[in-house]
Amino acid sequence: MKAAAILLLCVASTLALPQLRSGIVKAVPWRDAPSLLKGNRIIGGSPAVEAQIPYQVALIAGSADGAWLCGGSLISTEWVLTAAHCVLGATVFNVYMGGLTFSTSEPGVVLDITYTSIAHSEFSWETLNNDIGLVRLSSPVAVNERIRPIRLPESGTFIEPGRPLTVSGWGRTSDTEGGASTYLNYVNVEAISNEDCALVYGDAVVVDSTLCTRGMTNEGVCSGDSGGPLVSYDYDDIEESYNVTATLQGVVSFTAAVGCEAGFPSGFVRVTELLDWIRDNTGL
């Protein structure tokens, strides 16, 4: 694994899917996605405000080979949901909660150091199927305005194509420096059908437990981390809805190997399809 491998979430840059020229596009985990950013900027997205996304956590995963940044979602006072490719190979996790930065110098940020994680036993590096994992905090975290678990979707619910969704996280700000954004950002996207997504990545990658999105404007973005949350809101305005109306629908998983400004869909784990796995491993 690469030291300090920073995770990118690169949402499709146009409302229409790009024209394929040579068949199926290779999918890669966000952590391994090449950055096609121009200069020192994130393309699109908006900065979050205090307590706006209280379920968002930053995971600094470490091993003998180095460290890497992932996102995650607090789903209870002691469990964080993230991607399998974020936890595999890691032996320790620094979990930052309650902040717009992943720094204990920010007031309200809570840091938990833990060594316990679970990756889905059927995760495939080749197809990226079942890209879901869990990190257990060393002790339950106290809930407050800035730290609050997000609710899971109900069994049997389905995100239809065209549904507005929101993804959040920290994205890389410079290709040369390879550093993460110092601030939490979010961006609005919309769901597309698995049939359309499979035209890009193929039926082996896009399965029932996959959820794909595209950008809702003509601006391409590269914001968010592997393992981070894709959520639905009861209201269109994220600033007014906050976590009270947020439901976790996806876990950031993959993008096109050619990079995030290429205009291809973003891939997520569809949480509704793996609720049994989550409950079996957490008791929730």
Side-chain angles (χ1 to χ4, degrees), residues 30-181:
W30 286 113
R31 202 177 75 202
D32 299 331
S35 174
L36 298 181
L37 301 180
K38 299 175 181 179
N40 296 325
R41 64 187 179 97
I42 297 293
I43 306 172
S46 301
V49 298
E50 183 178 316
Q52 180 181 347
I53 313 176
Y55 50 83
Q56 175 85 51
V57 308
L59 298 174
I60 307 294
S63 73
D65 296 326
W68 54 96
L69 170 66
C70 275
S73 302
L74 192 67
I75 59 171
S76 77
T77 57
E78 59 180 331
W79 287 101
V80 172
L81 190 66
T82 187
H85 76 260
C86 287
V87 302
L88 285 171
T91 56
V92 62
F93 300 89
N94 284 10
V95 185
Y96 294 86
M97 297 167 283
L100 299 173
T101 65
F102 43 96
S103 170
T104 54
S105 63
E106 179 186 350
V109 170
V110 173
L111 169 62
D112 183 275
I113 300 175
T114 181
Y115 304 89
T116 305
S117 65
I118 305 169
H120 198 293
S121 61
E122 296 182 13
F123 168 64
S124 167
W125 282 106
E126 182 178 354
T127 65
L128 302 176
N129 294 165
N130 301 306
D131 190 10
I132 195 166
L134 290 159
V135 173
R136 188 171 192 172
L137 302 179
S138 63
S139 60
V141 66
V143 172
N144 56 47
E145 183 185 24
R146 298 175 60 134
I147 301 174
R148 187 173 300 275
I150 188 171
R151 64 186 177 189
L152 295 172
E154 296 181 4
S155 298
T157 57
F158 185 77
I159 293 296
E160 298 289 345
R163 175 70 183 269
L165 301 166
T166 301
V167 65
S168 55
W170 292 268
R172 187 160 55 193
T173 59
S174 171
D175 289 336
T176 56
E177 294 179 4
S181 170

